[in-house]
Amino acid sequence: MRADGFASRRRHSGWSVLSLALAGFVLTCGIDGASAQIDVWIDPGHGGHDPGALGHDGAAAPNEMDLNSGVAYYLDGALTGLGYIVAKTQNSDTTYFTPRQRALIANGELPNDLGMQSTSQMLLSVHMNSSTNAVARGTETWYPATRYYAKKKIESVEAQSAANQVQSALMSYANLAFLFCSADRGTKAGNFAVLKRTKNLALLVEVCFISNECQFRNISTDGDQALIADGIAVGISYCLEPTLSGRVRVPVIDTDPASVAKAGEAPITESALGESFEETAFPPAGWSVLTAGGAGSPTWERVTLPGHASDGVAAAWVGGGSPQAADAWLISPPIVPSGDLSAVRFKWAGSRIWAHAVDASLGVRNVGDVEWTTLWSLSLDEPMADPFIFRERAVGLGDWAGATVELAFRVTGADGADFMIDEVALGAYEPTGPAANDRCESASRLFGSFDVDGVNCYATDDLSDGSAIAEWCGSTDLGGPDVVYELRPAAGDTLTAHVDADWGASLYLLEGCAANAAVACAGQQEDSRGPTDIFHVFERSGLHYLVVDGESGSCGPFRLVGRMTQSATAVPQDSVDAEENVRLEYITAAGQMILQASYPADVATEPIFEVYDISGKRLMQRRVPGSGGHCEVQWNMRDQNGAAVASGMYVARLRVGPRVAVRKLAILR
């Protein structure tokens, strides 16, 4: 054993090229190292009971856990040689931390397996990729799409810049390590728990696909592990100072004085109040800005930075990071709520996590009054959730119907998070509240093709009180609010579903409304790297539930798209033997699929085997003489015209007289 507790590996010495003259490279990552005690936490992914992805050769070592720890071992030495103070989140093959625990270690909130507890400038998580497609290959670097503790939206832009530099340097080394099978898959934004929960910079490197024979063979050697580690170290040196100098780079928000105009007096008029802040003049016509804070305190401005608008190119913004306390007001022109203009709707982005420092609210008053009535508050009306995701809020104005009123968006506090609003409108909107379909008994029905939008932030969490669903889905946490949809398939029907959200949504399918009833999952699984689509062939008819969920503290808008397809293989539930006297199993070997049947020995009818694709097209039918209640048939996985069927999901049906058994088949080429 090595001193660090991992299985011994030979230190590579022939490929080290870190003697490059690094002094000429520009350090450009905006990292807050003022309170950090070490430079980099190195995080070898998986460990303990979780081996991660299996290698090309199957269950035999090395698997992903072994390869992650090997690269991490060499990365420790490479960064130390460049003057960085580093530590590993786990130092033994027997240790396992959840992704969220790894983030806590990087934040200095939890000790690692050696009892070390320290804040850091950066976390670098090492992983290997895998795919059912054996030719998939390449190297990629992930950065957080959102950061849970962020005070500024722009922090993700800085993380992307760091990822670009690490990826660029790493590829120079990966091209050597994976000669003839290297590929640059670029940088990607993701909501992995280990990334978004780390307070400072966090990146996750997917070194290669260990399902690819060439890449697996190379990364299994000490020399290529050391090469990859050297590439990561060079990339980190491009964007992180090893001196813990305390340098803080504060992003500059565009506040061109030429874009600020003084609003004149607005006439009292009934208005739909459609404002998206797209016009250059700010505040918009009829609106006014009031700053009640001290001299130099933040105020409302128009912002056009990427990602800072819900729609279009601009939004209204107050910077919350200033130590000077803000009390900033953005006041609407007078409006008259009425039947068709009964609610105000707006989209906001900020951080509920930092609302104790910088809060935001919406107030209303009759024109001429002094006192304001609070309609909405960030700290009181919003759940803890990922920051800087635009969320829609509608507030009813029924108590002010027929009156002439003003609305005011107010931001107060200091040393907190930025706050933005966009798309303010008056109309007949339904006030925001819990989703009507946040429980199984009130689930919304889906059938055929569906494309629905929703928000889960204000829903209940009645399905994930235990850990059964999370454990079955390979996730450490599915404690977010649930939104539930009802399906009523027949056996043999298929479901294809995809959930699209920028906060790391999960999707799972239940046979009943219980935590132990999951039959399919997609989305935010362990390290948020699971599949994003559900494809499921129903083995049983009857009521099922499709649920949109997420980890604790994650919620937001989502889009659910999919299709329920009826299959020619569908059979009513009551035609399947309730005592399971008829069974259908399959195995694949040497390019053949063997379908095996078992049924009551006294049945004289010859079994009939059939295979269908998901559209209901029959690919094979075979009548086989049976004996003693058992028989089998070999299928060459070709259709009735002799063409090889593609990789995918299929349905097999066994008919023995009136008895029928149906099951799904997976074919991987």
Short mmCIF file of all heavy atoms in Angstrom, two decimals, residues 70-92:
data_model
loop_
_atom_site.label_atom_id
_atom_site.label_comp_id
_atom_site.label_asym_id
_atom_site.label_seq_id
_atom_site.Cartn_x
_atom_site.Cartn_y
_atom_site.Cartn_z
N GLY A 70 -5.86 6.95 -9.14
CA GLY A 70 -4.53 6.98 -9.75
C GLY A 70 -4.18 8.35 -10.29
O GLY A 70 -3.10 8.90 -10.04
N VAL A 71 -5.11 8.96 -11.05
CA VAL A 71 -4.87 10.31 -11.58
C VAL A 71 -4.73 11.30 -10.43
O VAL A 71 -3.87 12.20 -10.46
CB VAL A 71 -6.01 10.71 -12.53
CG1 VAL A 71 -5.88 12.17 -12.94
CG2 VAL A 71 -6.01 9.82 -13.77
N ALA A 72 -5.58 11.16 -9.39
CA ALA A 72 -5.51 12.07 -8.25
C ALA A 72 -4.16 11.98 -7.55
O ALA A 72 -3.61 12.98 -7.08
CB ALA A 72 -6.63 11.76 -7.26
N TYR A 73 -3.60 10.78 -7.46
CA TYR A 73 -2.29 10.59 -6.83
C TYR A 73 -1.21 11.38 -7.57
O TYR A 73 -0.41 12.11 -6.97
CB TYR A 73 -1.95 9.10 -6.83
CG TYR A 73 -0.54 8.76 -6.44
CD1 TYR A 73 -0.10 8.97 -5.14
CD2 TYR A 73 0.35 8.23 -7.37
CE1 TYR A 73 1.21 8.65 -4.77
CE2 TYR A 73 1.65 7.91 -7.02
CZ TYR A 73 2.08 8.13 -5.72
OH TYR A 73 3.36 7.82 -5.36
N TYR A 74 -1.20 11.28 -8.90
CA TYR A 74 -0.20 12.00 -9.67
C TYR A 74 -0.48 13.50 -9.71
O TYR A 74 0.45 14.32 -9.75
CB TYR A 74 -0.13 11.44 -11.09
CG TYR A 74 0.46 10.05 -11.13
CD1 TYR A 74 -0.31 8.96 -11.49
CD2 TYR A 74 1.79 9.84 -10.77
CE1 TYR A 74 0.23 7.68 -11.51
CE2 TYR A 74 2.34 8.57 -10.78
CZ TYR A 74 1.56 7.48 -11.15
OH TYR A 74 2.09 6.23 -11.15
N LEU A 75 -1.76 13.88 -9.67
CA LEU A 75 -2.10 15.30 -9.65
C LEU A 75 -1.63 15.95 -8.35
O LEU A 75 -1.17 17.10 -8.35
CB LEU A 75 -3.61 15.47 -9.81
CG LEU A 75 -4.14 16.90 -9.85
CD1 LEU A 75 -3.50 17.70 -10.98
CD2 LEU A 75 -5.67 16.90 -10.00
N ASP A 76 -1.72 15.23 -7.26
CA ASP A 76 -1.21 15.71 -5.97
C ASP A 76 0.26 16.09 -6.10
O ASP A 76 0.69 17.19 -5.73
CB ASP A 76 -1.41 14.62 -4.92
CG ASP A 76 -1.06 15.09 -3.51
OD1 ASP A 76 -0.18 15.96 -3.34
OD2 ASP A 76 -1.65 14.55 -2.56
N GLY A 77 1.06 15.18 -6.67
CA GLY A 77 2.49 15.45 -6.83
C GLY A 77 2.77 16.57 -7.81
O GLY A 77 3.66 17.41 -7.58
N ALA A 78 2.00 16.62 -8.93
CA ALA A 78 2.25 17.65 -9.94
C ALA A 78 1.95 19.04 -9.40
O ALA A 78 2.72 19.99 -9.61
CB ALA A 78 1.40 17.36 -11.18
N LEU A 79 0.84 19.20 -8.69
CA LEU A 79 0.49 20.52 -8.15
C LEU A 79 1.43 20.92 -7.02
O LEU A 79 1.81 22.09 -6.91
CB LEU A 79 -0.96 20.51 -7.65
CG LEU A 79 -2.04 20.50 -8.74
CD1 LEU A 79 -3.42 20.32 -8.11
CD2 LEU A 79 -2.00 21.78 -9.56
N THR A 80 1.81 19.97 -6.19
CA THR A 80 2.77 20.28 -5.13
C THR A 80 4.08 20.77 -5.72
O THR A 80 4.70 21.72 -5.21
CB THR A 80 3.00 19.04 -4.25
OG1 THR A 80 1.76 18.64 -3.66
CG2 THR A 80 4.00 19.33 -3.15
N GLY A 81 4.49 20.15 -6.83
CA GLY A 81 5.72 20.58 -7.49
C GLY A 81 5.64 21.98 -8.06
O GLY A 81 6.66 22.64 -8.25
N LEU A 82 4.44 22.45 -8.32
CA LEU A 82 4.26 23.81 -8.83
C LEU A 82 4.04 24.82 -7.71
O LEU A 82 3.78 25.99 -7.98
CB LEU A 82 3.07 23.85 -9.79
CG LEU A 82 3.26 23.14 -11.14
CD1 LEU A 82 1.96 23.16 -11.93
CD2 LEU A 82 4.37 23.77 -11.96
N GLY A 83 4.11 24.37 -6.48
CA GLY A 83 4.02 25.29 -5.35
C GLY A 83 2.65 25.41 -4.73
O GLY A 83 2.43 26.28 -3.88
N TYR A 84 1.70 24.56 -5.12
CA TYR A 84 0.36 24.62 -4.54
C TYR A 84 0.29 23.81 -3.25
O TYR A 84 0.95 22.78 -3.11
CB TYR A 84 -0.68 24.07 -5.53
CG TYR A 84 -0.88 24.94 -6.75
CD1 TYR A 84 -0.15 24.73 -7.91
CD2 TYR A 84 -1.81 25.97 -6.74
CE1 TYR A 84 -0.33 25.52 -9.04
CE2 TYR A 84 -2.01 26.76 -7.85
CZ TYR A 84 -1.26 26.54 -9.00
OH TYR A 84 -1.44 27.33 -10.10
N ILE A 85 -0.55 24.27 -2.34
CA ILE A 85 -0.88 23.50 -1.15
C ILE A 85 -2.14 22.71 -1.46
O ILE A 85 -3.19 23.30 -1.77
CB ILE A 85 -1.11 24.41 0.07
CG1 ILE A 85 0.13 25.27 0.33
CG2 ILE A 85 -1.46 23.59 1.30
CD1 ILE A 85 -0.10 26.33 1.39
N VAL A 86 -2.06 21.37 -1.43
CA VAL A 86 -3.16 20.54 -1.88
C VAL A 86 -3.49 19.46 -0.85
O VAL A 86 -2.68 19.14 0.03
CB VAL A 86 -2.85 19.87 -3.24
CG1 VAL A 86 -2.59 20.92 -4.30
CG2 VAL A 86 -1.67 18.93 -3.12
N ALA A 87 -4.67 18.91 -0.96
CA ALA A 87 -5.10 17.77 -0.16
C ALA A 87 -6.16 17.03 -0.94
O ALA A 87 -6.77 17.59 -1.87
CB ALA A 87 -5.64 18.22 1.20
N LYS A 88 -6.39 15.76 -0.60
CA LYS A 88 -7.40 14.95 -1.26
C LYS A 88 -8.61 14.77 -0.35
O LYS A 88 -8.46 14.59 0.86
CB LYS A 88 -6.84 13.60 -1.68
CG LYS A 88 -5.74 13.68 -2.74
CD LYS A 88 -5.54 12.36 -3.44
CE LYS A 88 -4.92 11.31 -2.55
NZ LYS A 88 -3.51 11.60 -2.25
N THR A 89 -9.80 14.80 -0.96
CA THR A 89 -11.02 14.63 -0.17
C THR A 89 -11.08 13.25 0.45
O THR A 89 -11.61 13.07 1.54
CB THR A 89 -12.27 14.85 -1.04
OG1 THR A 89 -12.22 13.96 -2.17
CG2 THR A 89 -12.35 16.28 -1.53
N GLN A 90 -10.56 12.24 -0.25
CA GLN A 90 -10.52 10.89 0.30
C GLN A 90 -9.17 10.26 -0.03
O GLN A 90 -8.62 10.50 -1.11
CB GLN A 90 -11.67 10.03 -0.23
CG GLN A 90 -11.70 9.87 -1.74
CD GLN A 90 -12.98 9.19 -2.19
OE1 GLN A 90 -14.07 9.51 -1.73
NE2 GLN A 90 -12.86 8.23 -3.09
N ASN A 91 -8.68 9.47 0.89
CA ASN A 91 -7.31 8.98 0.79
C ASN A 91 -7.22 7.47 0.92
O ASN A 91 -6.16 6.93 1.19
CB ASN A 91 -6.45 9.64 1.89
CG ASN A 91 -6.35 11.14 1.69
OD1 ASN A 91 -5.45 11.62 1.03
ND2 ASN A 91 -7.30 11.88 2.25
N SER A 92 -8.32 6.78 0.73
CA SER A 92 -8.34 5.33 0.85
C SER A 92 -9.37 4.76 -0.09
O SER A 92 -10.41 5.38 -0.35
CB SER A 92 -8.65 4.91 2.29
OG SER A 92 -8.94 3.53 2.37
#
